[in-house]
Amino acid sequence: MKVVGRIGKFLFPLFTSLLLMLVIWYVFLKAFPQVGPRVGKSPEDIWRYLVTSPGAGVARAALLDDLQITLRDAAIGFGCGLLAALVVAALFVSFAAVEQTFLPVAMLLRSVPLVVLAPIIVLVFGRGVAGVAVLAAIVVFFPALVMITAGLRNAPQQAMDLIAAYGGSRWTGLRMVAVPAALPSVFAAARISVPGALIGALLGEWLGSGTGLGASLIRAIPTFQYNQLWSSIVLVTIVSVLLYAIVGVLENLVLARFGADANSS
């Protein structure tokens, strides 16, 4: 029951945020009447476009097909970026020389806007799935690296000393003490990285592959397909919140089983 309560406390603010975003949507359309009904679409317009209009089935199918491509690209980038961040963070914690050498380089690359890097990435990795996934992975990698490194450094020093006293290597201490202690940081990085992976995938599809929701969003503007544009934005927002919620629920379940308060739950 304690786990259910924790999950409920996590999900309630997300549900409240969705309602607040709906209110902001209405307020925005009322506050800027110059936008006009042709450009500014209300929730009722989106519902009609995707559900009740005669062409709703075709519009919905096209939107879901693009979403499937974007989710595939984002999932590859998310997995690769988070795994790379975990490996590099473990190297940083284990070898100070590695951190001193490569952390400034990582921060320098992080300061370069992704739009500037995108053409180079497309040239190197191509305009297909690989190029889009690399862009998504870059968005995931840097914030996850910082958070996971901080989590690994917060491992109980007494437990690390005990591993060393019994002849365990630094990798044993990392595996048995540091990684379990860093689980909250890993899941926090994953929660933050899920929307980031979607943003990176959308950017990669816009600048690179020309497929998925990222490309359809750009195509909808010059062709005046504002129902499609707003529907895509709403869909991306809802999917981002749902993925964030799924990772958060998994976090609560895993930490209840393996976290610091596992014995008291």
Side-chain angles (χ1 to χ4, degrees):
M1 294 300 296
K2 185 176 181 180
V3 178
V4 175
R6 288 176 54 177
I7 293 175
K9 289 181 180 179
F10 171 78
L11 292 178
F12 180 74
L14 290 180
F15 179 73
T16 305
S17 298
L18 284 175
L19 292 179
L20 181 60
M21 291 171 64
L22 189 63
V23 172
I24 293 175
W25 188 353
Y26 279 112
V27 172
F28 172 81
L29 294 177
K30 294 294 184 181
F32 297 95
Q34 65 270 24
V35 174
R38 176 174 175 79
V39 177
K41 301 300 180 180
S42 67
E44 290 83 1
D45 294 328
I46 303 305
W47 179 263
R48 189 179 308 112
Y49 175 72
L50 293 177
V51 179
T52 61
S53 67
V58 176
R60 192 167 58 248
L63 203 62
L64 292 178
D65 287 342
D66 288 335
L67 176 64
Q68 184 177 1
I69 296 173
T70 300
L71 288 178
R72 178 203 62 192
D73 297 336
I76 296 173
F78 172 79
C80 294
L82 195 63
L83 180 61
L86 185 58
V87 172
V88 174
L91 291 174
F92 281 1
V93 172
S94 301
F95 303 101
V98 175
E99 181 179 13
Q100 293 170 2
T101 302
F102 292 103
L103 184 59
V105 178
M107 293 301 102
L108 180 63
L109 290 175
R110 181 65 182 90
S111 65
V112 179
L114 197 59
V115 177
V116 177
L117 290 176
I120 300 174
I121 293 173
V122 170
L123 284 174
V124 174
F125 295 96
R127 300 175 63 90
V129 177
V132 178
V134 168
L135 283 170
I138 290 174
V139 177
V140 171
F141 175 77
F142 291 105
L145 174 62
V146 174
M147 298 183 69
I148 295 174
T149 301
L152 292 175
R153 292 193 188 284
N154 288 332
Q157 189 57 46
Q158 291 181 343
M160 297 291 289
D161 293 340
L162 182 63
I163 295 290
Y166 278 90
S169 66
R170 68 179 66 187
W171 297 111
T172 303
L174 189 71
R175 185 180 73 255
M176 298 184 65
V177 178
V179 171
L183 280 177
S185 298
V186 173
F187 276 107
R191 279 190 282 112
I192 293 174
S193 299
V194 164
L198 277 174
I199 292 173
L202 291 171
L203 181 62
E205 291 167 350
W206 167 38
L207 297 174
S209 68
T211 59
L213 283 176
S216 67
L217 280 168
I218 301 303
R219 288 196 299 265
I221 297 175
T223 56
F224 307 105
Q225 300 293 325
Y226 295 114
N227 280 317
Q228 179 184 346
L229 176 66
W230 282 79
S231 299
S232 299
I233 294 172
V234 170
L235 185 61
V236 169
T237 303
I238 293 175
V239 169
S240 297
V241 173
L242 286 177
L243 293 176
Y244 183 93
I246 290 172
V247 175
V249 171
L250 290 175
E251 175 185 6
N252 281 279
L253 293 175
V254 172
L255 293 184
R257 178 66 180 85
F258 300 105
D261 58 345
N263 293 329
S264 60
S265 58

